[in-house]
Amino acid sequence: MYPDAPSARRPGRCWTIRVVGHRDRTASVTCSSPCVMPPRSRDIAALRRFAVAHAAAHARAAAVHHDAACWCRRQRCALHEGTRVACAGSVVLVLRHDPAVGQVWTLSEVCAACAPLLPHARVLTRAAPPPPRVPDPDPAPGTEAGRGAGTGPAPSGPATPTVGPPRLVPGGFSAPSSGAGAGPERGGGRRRGVGGRRGRTTGS
């Protein structure tokens, strides 16, 4: 069961992608993250395809945090308020999309107990278990570490990893660059997006 201490887990993440209509009979795609989106268009079908690809790109780029707090619990389990459940189990990434509504796609990190209760949701990925922590071995007697410092030149430390430029991800946004502090990514950065273009789709 999830502990109640706020500091015990990192906040769960959520992305919401919408197709929004306008009075001039055009529509646009929005994302809850600061992503580069295509301009307004009258081609609603093309914008919907872009939204689907954009949600899929977020799912590929985001490694699920094993210590993330359940997003559903943060919302007080409003989507399944008729069913009481204690948050438990591993963290999963779910995609919610109601075909009757048709213009909203939501990705969120939730616990394994809430995931099957969410309507119109399917599990995309699961968090990998954290690697076991291995204690540092004690230095053997007679070694440089055992005799202490000052007996020779200090060994050179590991080279500082370089951080490259952000990698383009299909769907109009950039994934975190690789390097120190960057988590693993699930998708390649050179795949082609909707309509054969990378990063941006415009309707006719």
Side-chain angles (χ1 to χ4, degrees):
M1 183 176 298
Y2 284 83
D4 294 330
S7 60
R9 287 179 175 268
R10 71 174 76 191
R13 296 170 296 171
C14 182
W15 299 267
T16 301
I17 299 95
R18 300 177 184 270
V19 176
V20 182
H22 305 286
R23 292 183 178 181
D24 59 356
R25 296 185 180 181
T26 64
S28 57
V29 184
T30 65
C31 181
S32 57
S33 293
C35 301
V36 179
M37 311 305 285
R40 289 187 183 187
S41 173
R42 293 179 181 269
D43 191 344
I44 309 300
L47 294 179
R48 284 175 54 85
R49 290 193 297 269
F50 180 91
V52 171
H54 191 74
H58 269 300
R60 288 193 299 268
V64 184
H65 296 153
H66 70 274
D67 57 347
C70 179
W71 176 266
C72 182
R73 180 180 181 179
R74 180 177 175 181
Q75 303 301 309
R76 299 184 179 181
C77 295
L79 291 178
H80 61 86
E81 57 185 2
T83 304
R84 303 293 298 177
V85 64
C87 288
S90 60
V91 183
V92 298
L93 182 70
V94 297
L95 171 64
R96 290 188 290 113
H97 175 67
D98 185 353
V101 178
Q103 73 266 20
V104 182
W105 294 259
T106 303
L107 290 160
S108 53
E109 290 177 316
V110 301
C111 73
C114 286
L117 302 177
L118 299 176
H120 309 291
R122 60 188 178 95
V123 176
L124 300 182
T125 55
R126 299 178 181 272
R133 300 184 63 181
V134 180
D136 295 333
D138 295 332
T143 61
E144 289 293 331
R147 288 196 297 267
T151 58
S156 59
T160 303
T162 58
V163 178
R167 299 192 301 167
L168 292 180
V169 176
F173 70 99
S174 296
S177 57
S178 60
E185 295 176 352
R186 299 186 180 277
R190 295 295 179 183
R191 298 181 182 177
R192 301 185 70 85
V194 177
R197 296 186 179 182
R198 183 171 61 244
R200 182 181 292 258
T201 300
T202 56
S204 56

